[in-house]
Structures are given as C-alpha cells and as structure tokens.
Amino acid sequence: MAEEIIIVQGNNVLTGDVVVSGAKNSALKLMAATLLGRGTTSLHNVPLISDIAIMSEVLRCLGAQVDRQDHTLVVDTAPVEKWETPYELVSKMRASIAVLGPLIGRFGQARVAMPGGCQIGARNIDMHLVGLEALGVMFVTDHGFLEATTPHGLIGAHVVLDFPSVGATENLLMAAVVAEGTTVIENAAREPEIVDLVNMLNAMGARITGGGSSLMEVEGVPSESMHPCEHTTVGDRIEAGTFLVGGALMGGPLTVHGIDPSYLRMAVMKLESMGCDVQTGADWITVRREGPLAPIDIQTLPHPGFPTDLQAQFMLLAARAEGTSAITENVFENRFMFAAELARMGADITIEDHHALVRGVDGLQGAPVSSTDLRAGAALVLAGISAEGETRVHNIGHVDRGYEDYVGKLCSLGAEVARATVDDVQPSC
C-alpha cells in the first residue's frame, strides 16, 4: 500500500521571507460561529489545510453551503436545520466539538459525537459541559454522542473555569451570546484566537467585553438578532513560531510576515535568551543567529505563557544547544512522544513524568521518523534540514492538518524538502 512521506536532504539552509497563513486554531472556531448568523458569512485568510476541509464537511452535513474561493470561505448557514454531527467527521478532529455551543445557541439542542484528533493527551471536555450546564444545558451520553437540551432556555450565569481552557471558553461564548441575561466567565482563556472569535461574534451582533483578559462578560442578545458578517482571520502564531525556530536552528536570517509579534512575546524572549537576534515590526519578525545556541528552561502554560504548541520545536533547538535544557510540559501529558523520534536522529533526551532533560549534541543524523502529532511532524522536518544525510518523515497527515504548503514554503527558503509517494514496505521475518 502506497504512503505519502516527506523526504528531507539535510543542507542546513533556511533563509529569506515567508508569509504565514491564517490561524488554524482560530479559523475552525470562526467557521463554527457562522452557525449563529443565519445567512452568508465571508471568512478571509482561511488556511488551505485538511482540518478546514473536515470542518467544512461538518457544516455541510448540518445543511450549510460552504464555498472556498482561494483563501476566502463563504458560508451560508441559512439552510441549516439539523443539530447532529456525524461521528465519521468529528472523530477525525476534536475541534469539531466547537459546533456544540453555537448549535445549542441556535436550536436549544445538539447531538454531537465525542471528539477525536491528535493523540497528545486526554483533552477532557468536562469543562465544556460544566460551563454549559451552568447556563441551563442538560447533557446525556448516548452511544458515543453528547445529547444537549435546554428545557428552560439558556440563562446567563457566573462561570468559573477550573483551567483556562480555550475550547471551553469558546463553547461558552458561543452559547452565552444568546442566553437571557448576563454571563461572566472567570479564568477565561486569553489566547489571541479567543480575541479573534470575540471580534467576529461582536461583528455578528453579540455584546462581549473583556476578550483577551481572564474575566469576560457577555450580555445576551436575542438569537434572531445575530447576523452574518465579513471577517479576516488573524495570522497563525504557531506556524510563525515554527519557521522562527527553523531560522534560529539554521542561523537565518529568516523573516515571517503576517503575524502580530505580541502573539509570540514569550517565544521571542526564549529565542533571545538562547542567543538569537530577534527584530520585530508591525506585522513581521526576523530571527538570525551567529553564535552557538544556549540552553533553555521552558515551562508550557496557557497564554500568555509559553505555548505547548511550540514545545516540540523548542525541544529541537535545545537538542542542538551547548549545555543541558529543561522542559516542563504542563498542558498535554503525551506531548513528549516526539522525544523518542528526535532521539532516533541522535538527540540526547531523558523523560521523567512531565519533565524533559535535553543535553545538547554536536549534530543530528538523518533517519526514518514518524510524526506523533501535528507540531512534532513540523519539527521533525526542521530536524531533517539541520541533520546530516536524508530524513524520511512518515505519517505526514498530521502536518497537513495545520500547515499550508509546508514543503513549498520551506523550499522557498532554500531547504531541500519534497513530498513523495512510496510503497509501504512490509518487514521480512
């Protein structure tokens, strides 16, 4: 059986300019929010990635018309009459759970399959449910589906999240905008993608204040007063951070365009502390390095802390630093699966619980490796560029979920990277 892989010839070159795509983690939730608009919404700067294609199919299954014109999605949710999402689609991508809030807001009920996605941790949806229950939603689980009803309607409430979960904050927002009265969300997620969603919901007629802070207030409006809008997705800070790590690893200079530098403040600080020179402008960041990489101490935390989605990329940087780095993963318990693949290329990494000790090595060697999740796949390709010889990255479907034309962009920066279809060779015993 044939398999598509990424083949990397290590040439240690990554320099020039690259434009980042729209944020995957924002665009998916903006698409879900169109369900509240009952009409045609235009979303600009939407990345061409497989996760967007899956969410488009989720919306179509609900009855929406979804058309793509280059990087613009035109979504007409006026025909939507269903409130059930199919397991076949939701099981492929956990972000599909984002339709739960807007379906409840629009219909007062929903039947949503339990989500799937990257195998990097439990990603429990209990906080979604507890928060929505505070608004008057009742849930039952039926054969792998969540069934939601609102027997007394949606009523505003004061909700305190145990953890600033991005997904729980988003689902709460999309239900609370049409709840009767005022909803207060305490310990809300503060990610830039949350702010992007708030801006779009307000453009649709919602009344939300406090976006980007840990305390948000939502003044409910009648469901019928929500309307379509036109909105542009923010740039993808994780894609930008991935390319910046590549520039730091290879030396650069490398400039990413289309990103607000404030979205990556913590990552930029860590790059500087590792010996990189970082310059920023209104919507660009440039990284270059002439000396050796210094070791680093990183702890992943919700925004504005260090993003877990950049942990694998910075572990790669730490693997080439002069000295020993410590990385603590506080968000997803399985995110260190990447370390075993990087070790196949010669990295020296010791894992204990949610801590990783990374001892820098002089160089990496090309090897066959496999993407364990979306960000790990992208980091393994960068590792291959800096390694000696050829690296073959398998299971690249993960990469396609979140990076638009990753290979093409890397090639434009001087890397020797190509996609190839190879026969899946069975081992002989």
Side-chain angles (χ1 to χ4, degrees):
M1 189 174 176
E3 178 198 8
E4 192 171 21
I5 65 172
I6 293 176
I7 300 177
V8 188
Q9 304 296 338
N11 69 350
N12 208 42
V13 175
L14 213 60
T15 183
D17 295 70
V18 64
V19 179
V20 300
S21 303
K24 170 187 94 85
N25 290 334
S26 189
L28 292 169
K29 316 308 170 60
L30 301 178
M31 291 172 70
T34 63
L35 290 164
L36 292 164
R38 290 184 173 85
T40 301
T41 290
S42 294
L43 297 176
H44 304 294
N45 199 29
V46 177
L48 285 155
I49 54 176
S50 60
D51 269 12
I52 295 295
I54 294 171
M55 184 62 92
S56 296
E57 286 306 307
V58 170
L59 293 177
R60 289 188 182 107
C61 282
L62 293 168
Q65 295 178 0
V66 184
D67 297 304
R68 178 183 274 281
Q69 300 162 7
D70 194 19
H71 288 89
T72 293
L73 274 187
V74 179
V75 185
D76 183 2
T77 59
V80 173
E81 294 181 351
K82 295 169 59 179
W83 51 83
E84 178 177 335
T85 59
Y87 168 78
E88 292 76 19
L89 291 174
V90 178
S91 62
K92 295 179 182 178
M93 182 185 67
R94 70 157 288 105
S96 307
I97 196 68
V99 300
L100 180 63
L103 285 177
I104 292 170
R106 177 162 174 170
F107 296 107
Q109 57 187 319
R111 190 169 191 266
V112 177
M114 299 292 278
C118 279
Q119 301 304 307
I120 55 174
R123 303 225 229 182
N124 203 303
I125 64 168
D126 284 356
M127 273 185 290
H128 298 239
L129 309 188
V130 171
L132 290 167
E133 284 172 344
L135 301 182
V137 183
M138 295 182 64
F139 289 100
V140 295
T141 305
D142 178 45
H143 297 283
F145 282 81
L146 275 174
E147 291 191 354
T149 55
T150 52
H152 307 292
L154 286 167
I155 309 296
H158 191 118
V159 180
V160 182
L161 295 176
D162 290 343
F163 177 86
S165 160
V166 173
T169 301
E170 290 163 339
N171 259 325
L172 266 172
L173 280 174
M174 289 189 278
V177 290
V178 293
E180 183 181 342
T182 299
T183 298
V184 174
I185 306 174
E186 197 171 334
N187 200 24
R190 300 165 59 185
E191 274 71 3
E193 295 80 15
I194 294 284
V195 178
D196 201 23
L197 176 62
V198 167
N199 290 339
M200 176 170 160
L201 289 171
N202 283 340
M204 296 172 71
R207 297 174 181 172
I208 307 170
T209 56
S213 75
S214 59
L215 188 68
M216 301 175 64
E217 188 169 301
V218 186
E219 183 185 341
V221 299
S223 177
E224 58 272 14
S225 70
M226 295 290 289
H227 53 78
C229 73
E230 189 168 350
H231 184 83
T232 300
T233 313
V234 296
D236 195 317
R237 62 194 171 101
I238 305 302
E239 182 190 4
T242 301
F243 281 111
L244 289 173
V245 164
L249 185 65
M250 263 61 82
L254 187 150
T255 301
V256 294
H257 298 268
I259 188 68
D260 184 336
S262 69
Y263 293 175
L264 284 166
R265 187 172 289 119
M266 184 63 70
V268 165
M269 287 171 54
K270 294 298 182 182
L271 286 172
E272 290 174 333
S273 69
M274 294 187 82
C276 300
D277 175 44
V278 184
Q279 303 294 323
T280 62
D283 65 347
W284 57 267
I285 306 172
T286 297
V287 64
R288 57 171 53 84
R289 177 180 61 85
E290 295 180 355
L293 283 164
I296 193 73
D297 186 353
I298 286 174
Q299 296 194 42
T300 65
L301 289 168
H303 192 78
F306 188 89
T308 181
D309 279 353
L310 286 177
Q311 183 255 97
Q313 298 90 316
F314 271 78
M315 180 179 282
L316 168 60
L317 270 186
R320 293 299 314 280
E322 290 190 354
T324 300
S325 300
I327 299 176
T328 302
E329 175 55 61
N330 295 308
V331 183
F332 293 134
E333 65 268 26
N334 291 341
R335 203 129 219 188
F336 283 152
M337 292 190 297
F338 163 73
E341 296 303 308
L342 196 56
R344 290 174 56 80
M345 302 180 69
D348 184 354
I349 305 170
T350 303
I351 305 294
E352 185 173 337
D353 194 24
H354 64 293
H355 304 284
L357 209 61
V358 187
R359 301 170 189 84
V361 296
D362 290 337
L364 298 174
Q365 299 85 46
V369 290
S370 181
S371 304
T372 53
D373 65 71
L374 165 57
R375 307 306 171 184
L380 287 169
V381 176
L382 294 181
I385 298 171
S386 71
E388 177 188 353
E390 181 180 277
T391 297
R392 294 192 166 208
V393 183
H394 296 259
N395 205 16
I396 65 171
H398 283 305
V399 178
D400 293 337
R401 287 187 48 231
Y403 291 87
E404 176 180 336
D405 191 24
Y406 190 47
V407 166
K409 290 182 179 182
L410 290 171
C411 288
S412 74
L413 296 169
E416 292 185 27
V417 185
R419 298 175 74 106
T421 301
V422 297
D423 289 331
D424 184 11
V425 179
Q426 297 298 316
S428 57
C429 299

